[in-house]
Amino acid sequence: MMTEPIEQQNQLADRMAEEEKIWQRVDENGSRWTKVYFGGGAHLRNWLAQFIELKGEENVKLEEADSRGFLCYEESGEKMYRIWVKDAAETAP
């Protein structure tokens, strides 16, 4: 039926809109973190390595994200992640 692909597209659009609202957080120590990447696979590994090299491992966090609504991730069982980088003002000497 033709409505299934449209429903999937709507669900994906809704999930992307939800994800776009998540861009900054404050941890238990009061440090601010900014989301710099959302996804998985080889792209995730590449971006993670680059951010660690540029910012230092202590200034980069990896968080598993909900893959609900992302059909390719749901079907493959691959996990999605967010990469967070501590704000520069927080890491200044």
Side-chain angles (χ1 to χ4, degrees):
M1 188 175 226
M2 289 299 287
T3 59
E4 187 173 318
I6 292 171
E7 288 173 14
Q8 288 173 351
Q9 288 175 355
N10 289 340
Q11 185 180 19
L12 178 58
D14 290 345
R15 283 289 291 123
M16 286 304 295
E18 285 176 27
E19 191 60 39
E20 287 299 316
K21 293 176 186 175
I22 303 169
W23 62 276
Q24 198 167 53
R25 69 178 347 158
V26 177
D27 68 15
E28 61 280 352
N29 299 320
S31 297
R32 273 198 313 233
W33 296 77
T34 301
K35 181 179 73 175
V36 293
Y37 179 83
F38 173 69
H43 287 113
L44 166 79
R45 291 185 293 278
N46 181 39
W47 283 110
L48 182 60
Q50 289 184 55
F51 282 115
I52 288 172
E53 182 178 341
L54 291 170
K55 302 292 185 175
E57 194 168 349
E58 67 279 2
N59 298 312
V60 178
K61 288 186 180 182
L62 188 63
E63 173 188 44
E64 188 173 332
D66 182 6
S67 62
R68 170 183 50 87
F70 296 93
L71 192 58
C72 58
Y73 285 89
E74 289 177 340
E75 289 178 350
S76 71
E78 185 177 350
K79 295 183 180 190
M80 296 185 81
Y81 296 90
R82 293 180 189 104
I83 299 175
W84 296 91
V85 173
K86 191 182 278 189
D87 283 359
E90 302 287 334
T91 60

